[in-house]
Amino acid sequence: MTRQIRTAVFPVAGLGTRLLPATKALAKEMLTVVDKPLIHYAVEEARAAGIDRFVFVTSRGKSVIEDHFDFAYELNQTLDARGKKEAIESLADWLPPAGHVAYTRQPSPLGLGHAIWCARHLVGNETFAVILPDDLVLSKTPCMKQLIDAHACTKGNVVAVMEVPREQTNRYGILAVGDDDGRLAEVKGLVEKPAPEDAPSTLSIIGRYILLPEIFTELGRFERGAGGEIQITDAIARMIGVAPCHGLRFEGERFDCGDGLGFVRANIAFALARADMRPKLEEFIHQRL
Ligand code: G1P
């Protein structure tokens, strides 16, 4: 029997330079899509997949994320005094219970692989999930739940994947594909950010991973890859042949919220998906166009 995946790691140490000046003093994970910060969606997605331990790998300037997931005494007092029971209940509803959230810092920007490695003692010796909050997914079934279901069959490392235009392969981890049933693809190799002419395919990793704990040993080798950084893609690649590795073409649409246009698209798509906003927003968009 596969053990339940209990822990999600959220690497949130990045500077968000593509979104300056918005991210100069504000953690990019706190940028809001419709009415929730990106990190809020990420935690919701993990919870909807049955995960109940949340590990954040932060850096200087990210303490606002801790505040977001903490009880806000003054706010509750004020809401209470104003008789706003619903708001209080809703806050209590999504706050993770005491002891289920942990924070650690990535002391220097050595790459995504290094950020995940920083969480090793908080994860322990069990299979875990990784969610990159910039990659927002709009789907019927939460993307992480789809990955966990796939892992229950494959028992190995699983990454969420989607096709990208060939000229964009240098932005992503790219798969060399083995057996492929059109949904689940066996991974024969992985390359981080290859030039279009060198990319083994156009199937790219987006920010959702299920990783076996042995990944920490690989990450602990501190091998530098693309951009001189310690890459999670390289560590997963080194486990191919030792443990199963699959790419899951998830159902849903992914938005790159680390980029201005992707962020605006996400806002429109998520607002249109809301029954309370759709009619008025549609009207507005039609008028503008
Ligand atoms: C990271 C990963 C890359 C993946 C991408 C998805 O890159 O290293 O393999 O395809 O996330 O968003 P980054 O966007 O941090 O450069």
Side-chain angles (χ1 to χ4, degrees):
M1 234 188 77
T2 348
R3 277 183 57 189
Q4 201 198 330
I5 292 167
R6 299 188 295 188
T7 309
V9 173
F10 304 91
V12 291
L15 286 174
T17 47
R18 285 188 290 158
L19 290 170
L20 283 167
T23 49
K24 184 164 179 287
L26 178 69
K28 66 172 170 172
E29 298 78 15
M30 290 304 292
L31 291 176
T32 301
V33 168
V34 185
D35 56 3
K36 284 184 273 190
L38 286 171
I39 192 66
H40 193 109
Y41 286 96
V43 168
E44 267 184 355
E45 184 181 324
R47 294 185 92 169
I51 287 167
D52 70 351
R53 298 180 182 189
F54 312 97
V55 176
F56 297 84
V57 182
T58 70
S59 59
R60 274 180 298 282
K62 302 280 181 160
S63 43
V64 64
I65 296 175
E66 291 187 42
D67 292 339
H68 186 72
F69 292 105
D70 189 14
F71 183 76
Y73 184 78
E74 300 86 342
L75 175 63
N76 263 59
Q77 285 272 304
T78 311
L79 291 172
D80 194 30
R82 292 181 187 167
K84 309 234 165 177
K85 268 188 93 179
E86 252 179 57
I88 296 176
E89 276 163 19
S90 143
L91 284 173
D93 207 37
W94 62 256
L95 264 189
H100 286 245
V101 191
Y103 300 88
T104 189
R105 280 195 176 189
Q106 182 186 25
S108 38
L110 297 177
L112 177 60
H114 179 259
I116 295 170
W117 178 81
C118 289
R120 68 202 179 284
H121 294 306
L122 294 166
V123 172
N125 188 28
E126 50 183 77
T127 300
F128 64 103
V130 174
I131 297 186
L132 309 188
D134 305 5
D135 279 336
L136 192 55
V137 179
L138 184 60
S139 58
K140 287 198 200 87
T141 307
C143 187
M144 186 43 73
K145 171 84 171 68
Q146 298 179 46
L147 251 64
I148 288 179
D149 290 347
H151 167 80
C153 301
T154 68
K155 316 273 191 262
N157 292 320
V158 187
V159 293
V161 295
M162 66 178 218
E163 291 289 347
V164 297
R166 186 160 278 273
E167 64 271 19
Q168 291 180 11
T169 57
N170 58 0
R171 299 188 199 167
Y172 299 96
I174 302 290
L175 275 61
V177 177
D179 284 349
D180 187 356
D181 70 5
R183 186 170 168 270
L184 203 57
E186 186 200 355
V187 181
K188 289 274 194 204
L190 284 171
V191 196
E192 179 67 9
K193 302 193 171 79
E197 59 276 20
D198 301 330
S201 77
T202 50
L203 205 52
S204 77
I205 303 177
I206 67 123
R208 302 287 183 280
Y209 306 79
I210 299 290
L211 299 173
L212 303 177
E214 290 76 19
I215 199 76
F216 291 125
T217 312
E218 286 304 331
L219 290 170
R221 300 188 203 285
F222 300 135
E223 282 186 25
R224 305 282 183 138
E229 296 187 341
I230 298 163
Q231 299 289 355
I232 188 64
T233 306
D234 297 342
I236 302 171
R238 288 199 297 273
M239 284 183 69
I240 295 170
V242 181
C245 184
H246 291 82
L248 176 74
R249 292 186 187 80
F250 58 98
E251 164 275 308
E253 197 180 347
R254 171 258 188 181
F255 298 90
D256 176 9
C257 293
D259 166 86
L261 186 58
F263 184 70
V264 172
R265 282 187 176 139
N267 269 284
I268 295 170
F270 274 73
L272 286 173
R274 290 254 305 246
D276 59 333
M277 291 192 180
R278 185 174 184 113
K280 291 236 160 72
L281 184 58
E282 261 182 350
E283 203 181 300
F284 173 75
I285 291 171
H286 280 133
Q287 275 168 10
R288 299 295 291 196
L289 295 177

Short mmCIF file of all heavy atoms in Angstrom, two decimals, residues 16-45:
data_model
loop_
_atom_site.label_atom_id
_atom_site.label_comp_id
_atom_site.label_asym_id
_atom_site.label_seq_id
_atom_site.Cartn_x
_atom_site.Cartn_y
_atom_site.Cartn_z
N GLY A 16 11.18 37.36 -7.55
CA GLY A 16 10.10 37.85 -8.41
C GLY A 16 10.51 39.03 -9.27
O GLY A 16 9.73 39.97 -9.46
N THR A 17 11.73 38.98 -9.80
CA THR A 17 12.26 40.14 -10.54
C THR A 17 11.47 40.44 -11.82
O THR A 17 11.48 41.58 -12.29
CB THR A 17 13.74 39.94 -10.92
OG1 THR A 17 13.88 38.64 -11.48
CG2 THR A 17 14.63 40.06 -9.70
N ARG A 18 10.78 39.42 -12.37
CA ARG A 18 10.01 39.68 -13.60
C ARG A 18 8.78 40.53 -13.33
O ARG A 18 8.12 40.99 -14.24
CB ARG A 18 9.58 38.35 -14.24
CG ARG A 18 10.72 37.63 -14.95
CD ARG A 18 10.21 36.43 -15.73
NE ARG A 18 9.74 35.35 -14.86
CZ ARG A 18 8.89 34.41 -15.22
NH1 ARG A 18 8.38 34.40 -16.43
NH2 ARG A 18 8.52 33.46 -14.38
N LEU A 19 8.44 40.70 -12.04
CA LEU A 19 7.22 41.44 -11.71
C LEU A 19 7.50 42.77 -11.01
O LEU A 19 6.61 43.36 -10.42
CB LEU A 19 6.30 40.58 -10.85
CG LEU A 19 5.66 39.39 -11.57
CD1 LEU A 19 4.98 38.47 -10.58
CD2 LEU A 19 4.65 39.86 -12.60
N LEU A 20 8.75 43.24 -11.11
CA LEU A 20 9.07 44.55 -10.52
C LEU A 20 8.31 45.65 -11.25
O LEU A 20 8.08 45.52 -12.45
CB LEU A 20 10.58 44.80 -10.60
CG LEU A 20 11.43 44.05 -9.58
CD1 LEU A 20 12.91 44.13 -9.95
CD2 LEU A 20 11.19 44.61 -8.18
N PRO A 21 7.87 46.73 -10.64
CA PRO A 21 8.11 47.08 -9.25
C PRO A 21 7.13 46.46 -8.25
O PRO A 21 7.29 46.66 -7.05
CB PRO A 21 7.97 48.60 -9.26
CG PRO A 21 6.98 48.88 -10.34
CD PRO A 21 7.21 47.84 -11.39
N ALA A 22 6.12 45.69 -8.75
CA ALA A 22 5.11 45.15 -7.82
C ALA A 22 5.76 44.37 -6.68
O ALA A 22 5.27 44.40 -5.54
CB ALA A 22 4.14 44.25 -8.58
N THR A 23 6.86 43.67 -6.98
CA THR A 23 7.44 42.76 -6.00
C THR A 23 8.64 43.34 -5.27
O THR A 23 9.40 42.62 -4.65
CB THR A 23 7.87 41.47 -6.72
OG1 THR A 23 8.63 41.85 -7.87
CG2 THR A 23 6.68 40.66 -7.15
N LYS A 24 8.80 44.66 -5.35
CA LYS A 24 9.97 45.24 -4.69
C LYS A 24 9.88 45.06 -3.17
O LYS A 24 10.82 44.59 -2.54
CB LYS A 24 10.11 46.73 -5.04
CG LYS A 24 11.36 47.33 -4.45
CD LYS A 24 11.74 48.64 -5.08
CE LYS A 24 12.99 49.21 -4.43
NZ LYS A 24 12.74 49.74 -3.09
N ALA A 25 8.74 45.42 -2.60
CA ALA A 25 8.60 45.29 -1.14
C ALA A 25 7.58 44.22 -0.77
O ALA A 25 7.37 43.93 0.40
CB ALA A 25 8.17 46.64 -0.55
N LEU A 26 6.94 43.62 -1.78
CA LEU A 26 5.88 42.63 -1.52
C LEU A 26 6.33 41.26 -2.03
O LEU A 26 6.80 41.16 -3.18
CB LEU A 26 4.61 43.07 -2.26
CG LEU A 26 3.40 42.16 -2.16
CD1 LEU A 26 2.83 42.17 -0.74
CD2 LEU A 26 2.32 42.60 -3.14
N ALA A 27 6.17 40.23 -1.19
CA ALA A 27 6.50 38.88 -1.64
C ALA A 27 5.61 38.54 -2.84
O ALA A 27 4.40 38.74 -2.78
CB ALA A 27 6.24 37.89 -0.51
N LYS A 28 6.21 38.03 -3.92
CA LYS A 28 5.41 37.79 -5.13
C LYS A 28 4.28 36.78 -4.88
O LYS A 28 3.24 36.84 -5.51
CB LYS A 28 6.28 37.33 -6.31
CG LYS A 28 6.93 35.99 -6.15
CD LYS A 28 7.61 35.53 -7.42
CE LYS A 28 8.45 34.29 -7.12
NZ LYS A 28 9.01 33.63 -8.26
N GLU A 29 4.48 35.90 -3.90
CA GLU A 29 3.45 34.90 -3.59
C GLU A 29 2.22 35.53 -2.94
O GLU A 29 1.19 34.90 -2.80
CB GLU A 29 4.02 33.82 -2.65
CG GLU A 29 5.16 33.03 -3.23
CD GLU A 29 6.50 33.78 -3.20
OE1 GLU A 29 6.62 34.79 -2.47
OE2 GLU A 29 7.43 33.34 -3.91
N MET A 30 2.35 36.80 -2.53
CA MET A 30 1.21 37.50 -1.93
C MET A 30 0.43 38.31 -2.97
O MET A 30 -0.58 38.93 -2.64
CB MET A 30 1.66 38.41 -0.80
CG MET A 30 2.14 37.67 0.44
SD MET A 30 0.91 36.52 1.10
CE MET A 30 -0.31 37.67 1.70
N LEU A 31 0.89 38.31 -4.21
CA LEU A 31 0.12 39.00 -5.26
C LEU A 31 -1.22 38.29 -5.40
O LEU A 31 -1.31 37.07 -5.28
CB LEU A 31 0.88 38.95 -6.59
CG LEU A 31 2.16 39.80 -6.63
CD1 LEU A 31 2.86 39.59 -7.96
CD2 LEU A 31 1.84 41.27 -6.43
N THR A 32 -2.23 39.08 -5.66
CA THR A 32 -3.59 38.56 -5.58
C THR A 32 -4.19 38.26 -6.94
O THR A 32 -4.17 39.11 -7.83
CB THR A 32 -4.46 39.60 -4.85
OG1 THR A 32 -3.89 39.81 -3.57
CG2 THR A 32 -5.88 39.14 -4.69
N VAL A 33 -4.71 37.06 -7.09
CA VAL A 33 -5.50 36.73 -8.26
C VAL A 33 -6.96 36.74 -7.81
O VAL A 33 -7.34 35.98 -6.91
CB VAL A 33 -5.08 35.36 -8.85
CG1 VAL A 33 -6.07 34.88 -9.89
CG2 VAL A 33 -3.68 35.47 -9.47
N VAL A 34 -7.72 37.64 -8.37
CA VAL A 34 -9.11 37.94 -7.99
C VAL A 34 -9.17 38.41 -6.53
O VAL A 34 -9.13 39.59 -6.29
CB VAL A 34 -10.10 36.79 -8.28
CG1 VAL A 34 -11.54 37.22 -7.97
CG2 VAL A 34 -10.00 36.37 -9.75
N ASP A 35 -9.25 37.50 -5.57
CA ASP A 35 -9.33 37.97 -4.19
C ASP A 35 -8.53 37.10 -3.21
O ASP A 35 -8.77 37.15 -2.01
CB ASP A 35 -10.79 38.08 -3.73
CG ASP A 35 -11.54 36.77 -3.88
OD1 ASP A 35 -10.91 35.77 -4.29
OD2 ASP A 35 -12.74 36.73 -3.61
N LYS A 36 -7.59 36.34 -3.77
CA LYS A 36 -6.75 35.52 -2.88
C LYS A 36 -5.29 35.60 -3.34
O LYS A 36 -5.03 35.59 -4.55
CB LYS A 36 -7.19 34.05 -2.95
CG LYS A 36 -8.46 33.75 -2.19
CD LYS A 36 -8.78 32.28 -2.21
CE LYS A 36 -9.58 31.92 -3.43
NZ LYS A 36 -10.12 30.56 -3.42
N PRO A 37 -4.35 35.64 -2.39
CA PRO A 37 -2.94 35.62 -2.80
C PRO A 37 -2.58 34.27 -3.45
O PRO A 37 -3.20 33.24 -3.15
CB PRO A 37 -2.18 35.78 -1.49
CG PRO A 37 -3.17 36.10 -0.44
CD PRO A 37 -4.52 35.73 -0.94
N LEU A 38 -1.57 34.32 -4.31
CA LEU A 38 -1.13 33.09 -4.99
C LEU A 38 -0.84 31.96 -4.01
O LEU A 38 -1.21 30.81 -4.25
CB LEU A 38 0.15 33.38 -5.79
CG LEU A 38 -0.04 34.20 -7.06
CD1 LEU A 38 1.32 34.62 -7.62
CD2 LEU A 38 -0.84 33.42 -8.09
N ILE A 39 -0.20 32.29 -2.90
CA ILE A 39 0.17 31.24 -1.95
C ILE A 39 -1.07 30.59 -1.31
O ILE A 39 -1.06 29.42 -0.95
CB ILE A 39 1.14 31.79 -0.86
CG1 ILE A 39 1.75 30.66 -0.04
CG2 ILE A 39 0.47 32.81 0.04
CD1 ILE A 39 2.66 29.75 -0.80
N HIS A 40 -2.13 31.37 -1.24
CA HIS A 40 -3.39 30.86 -0.68
C HIS A 40 -3.97 29.77 -1.60
O HIS A 40 -4.42 28.72 -1.15
CB HIS A 40 -4.35 32.03 -0.53
CG HIS A 40 -5.56 31.74 0.29
ND1 HIS A 40 -5.74 32.27 1.54
CD2 HIS A 40 -6.65 30.98 0.04
CE1 HIS A 40 -6.90 31.85 2.02
NE2 HIS A 40 -7.46 31.07 1.13
N TYR A 41 -3.93 30.03 -2.91
CA TYR A 41 -4.38 29.01 -3.87
C TYR A 41 -3.54 27.75 -3.74
O TYR A 41 -4.05 26.63 -3.81
CB TYR A 41 -4.25 29.52 -5.31
CG TYR A 41 -5.27 30.55 -5.73
CD1 TYR A 41 -4.99 31.91 -5.67
CD2 TYR A 41 -6.52 30.16 -6.20
CE1 TYR A 41 -5.91 32.86 -6.07
CE2 TYR A 41 -7.46 31.10 -6.61
CZ TYR A 41 -7.15 32.45 -6.54
OH TYR A 41 -8.07 33.37 -6.93
N ALA A 42 -2.21 27.93 -3.57
CA ALA A 42 -1.31 26.78 -3.51
C ALA A 42 -1.64 25.90 -2.31
O ALA A 42 -1.71 24.67 -2.42
CB ALA A 42 0.14 27.26 -3.46
N VAL A 43 -1.88 26.54 -1.16
CA VAL A 43 -2.20 25.78 0.05
C VAL A 43 -3.57 25.12 -0.08
O VAL A 43 -3.76 23.96 0.28
CB VAL A 43 -2.10 26.68 1.31
CG1 VAL A 43 -2.70 26.00 2.53
CG2 VAL A 43 -0.64 27.05 1.58
N GLU A 44 -4.52 25.85 -0.66
CA GLU A 44 -5.85 25.26 -0.89
C GLU A 44 -5.76 24.01 -1.76
O GLU A 44 -6.42 23.01 -1.51
CB GLU A 44 -6.74 26.27 -1.64
CG GLU A 44 -7.58 27.14 -0.75
CD GLU A 44 -8.50 28.05 -1.55
OE1 GLU A 44 -8.44 28.11 -2.81
OE2 GLU A 44 -9.28 28.74 -0.92
N GLU A 45 -4.93 24.11 -2.80
CA GLU A 45 -4.78 22.96 -3.71
C GLU A 45 -4.19 21.76 -2.98
O GLU A 45 -4.65 20.63 -3.17
CB GLU A 45 -3.88 23.37 -4.89
CG GLU A 45 -3.77 22.28 -5.93
CD GLU A 45 -2.85 22.65 -7.09
OE1 GLU A 45 -2.81 23.83 -7.50
OE2 GLU A 45 -2.15 21.75 -7.59
#
